[in-house]
Amino acid sequence: MLNLTPLTNDNPAQTMRDTMLELGKHEAIALPDDMDLTKPFLITVPDKRKVEDLTQKYLSAAQYLKPTQRKGTARLKDLESLVAWANRFKGDSSVLFANPVMDTPSLTCIADYHDEGPADPTNSLGDPSARHGHHRGVYDFPLSEDWKAWMAVSDTPLEKDDMGEFIEAQAKNIMDPTPAIIAGAQDDKNDDWENRLIETACKIEGRYGQLTQLLQMSKQFLVNETSDLKLTTNRDTGEAEMKFINEHKGLNGQPLNLPNLIIIAIPVFLNGPLYRMPVRFRYRKSGGQVKFILSIYNPEKAFEASFDESLDLAVAHTDLPLFKGTPEA
């Protein structure tokens, strides 16, 4: 406890002033020149004294006029802007990260990514290859409205009227098969996309139909179902088996022979190139109801082709390494 009793012949005001100066005395604590980050930095302090860390206040004041590092995330609206952003801020350690998720594809440039090579945890000054990774540019690929519309109905059972309304709304996307596709034979004279569609039809025993056929079915489509009893007997054991064979027929009594494939040409991304894809057409009869099912055949292939084409352009125009996935948080 401090003794504040003034000495003989001392001025009490002067004594109080000297005492308060002593109590308020402070010293700046500087880091030693041989600071080793692999060891703790400990100091002893007098009892009843408070040590305050002014680092953040100091950095805030220092950054008021000039930032100590670049940080923040820029959201770009097209691939060209992402490339321009990357070329403006890139350095020796900059990289690209591509997130190939079909619902939310994106491309990210990290301007201040870690340098190449292994980390060096034994360096007393810290890992010289480490970076903050706080300065980023992100481009979220916008899916085209046509792509989103077809993906929304793919594999979803539709009522006849709903199917008709959808086909009428997306009629611009449906293309009639070419003579080469109708012939069903691959040939070097065909375009690559024609041979690809012919190959797909052969794999799944498909027949390509036309837009007019779909529109007609959406307006007038009735199915009559007949059942025939079939009896089979195993002569060795004498066991008999009965089966009901169901057959769908049209109003004229003839078996239905419908096309089970159509061709659509849609862009994956907004303002992107068109990709021709087969769509499987099926129907299911349950009681008195008929449900139609449109299923895009292997849409992942078209997405990957369109996405990889954009990535190739980004790499070619930035000359940066590319990783598929998501960067460290």
Side-chain angles (χ1 to χ4, degrees), residues 228-234 238-246:
D228 295 327
L229 177 62
K230 182 179 180 181
L231 177 63
T232 59
T233 303
N234 188 323
E239 295 178 349
E241 182 180 5
M242 288 190 301
K243 292 182 179 179
F244 280 97
I245 307 300
N246 294 333

Side-chain angles (χ1 to χ4, degrees), residues 269-299:
F269 301 123
L270 184 65
N271 300 324
L274 297 179
Y275 282 83
R276 300 174 181 89
M277 295 181 290
V279 177
R280 301 184 67 178
F281 170 77
R282 295 170 291 164
Y283 73 92
R284 294 289 182 267
K285 187 175 187 297
S286 178
Q289 291 187 337
V290 178
K291 295 293 183 82
F292 295 90
I293 303 174
L294 299 170
S295 303
I296 301 178
Y297 184 79
N298 198 11

Side-chain angles (χ1 to χ4, degrees), residues 4 7 64 74 89 172 177:
L4 301 181
L7 300 175
Y64 180 76
F89 297 111
K172 63 183 184 297

Side-chain angles (χ1 to χ4, degrees), residues 26-30:
H26 64 277
E27 297 178 357
I29 301 175

